[in-house]
């Protein structure tokens, strides 16, 4: 193998390493995005559940003229 071929092999090896690093960074980026989306989804579910529970227990949702009681929420 002469020096020109050795240079080409070294260049190819480095290019392959850079592509592997790029793929790993993209995979890491996608994993972080997926985790962030899961966090946002969970917070939205907690907020919706809290709002539903608050509304269900709110005196404004009871019929007018009825005295509010904890038993009325069930």
């Amino acid at each position: 193998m002469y020096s020109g071929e050795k240079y080409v092999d070294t260049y190819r090896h480095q290019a392959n390493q850079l592509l592997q690093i790029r793929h790993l960074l993209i995979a890491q980026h996608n994993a972080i995005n997926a985790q962030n989306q899961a966090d946002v989804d969970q917070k939205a579910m907690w907020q919706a559940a809290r709002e539903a529970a608050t509304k269900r227990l709110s005196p404004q949702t009871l019929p007018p003229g009825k005295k509010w009681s904890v038993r009325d929420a069930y």
Side-chain angles (χ1 to χ4, degrees):
M1 178 182 302
Y2 66 93
S3 63
E5 288 177 359
K6 188 173 184 179
Y7 175 77
V8 170
D9 285 343
T10 303
Y11 175 77
R12 283 185 187 146
H13 181 69
Q14 185 180 18
N16 285 336
Q17 285 179 325
L18 290 173
L19 282 174
Q20 288 175 343
I21 292 170
R22 180 178 184 269
H23 290 301
L24 290 172
L25 288 172
I26 290 170
Q28 182 183 35
H29 176 76
N30 290 340
I32 290 170
N33 282 345
Q35 182 62 52
N36 287 342
Q37 187 61 51
D39 291 344
V40 168
D41 291 346
Q42 185 171 12
K43 286 177 186 175
M45 287 189 294
W46 278 102
Q47 183 177 355
R50 183 175 184 200
E51 288 174 3
T54 302
K55 186 176 182 181
R56 185 175 64 242
L57 297 174
S58 173
Q60 288 97 5
T61 62
L62 298 175
K66 185 173 183 180
K67 189 170 182 174
W68 186 79
S69 169
V70 173
R71 286 183 230 136
D72 293 332
Y74 296 103

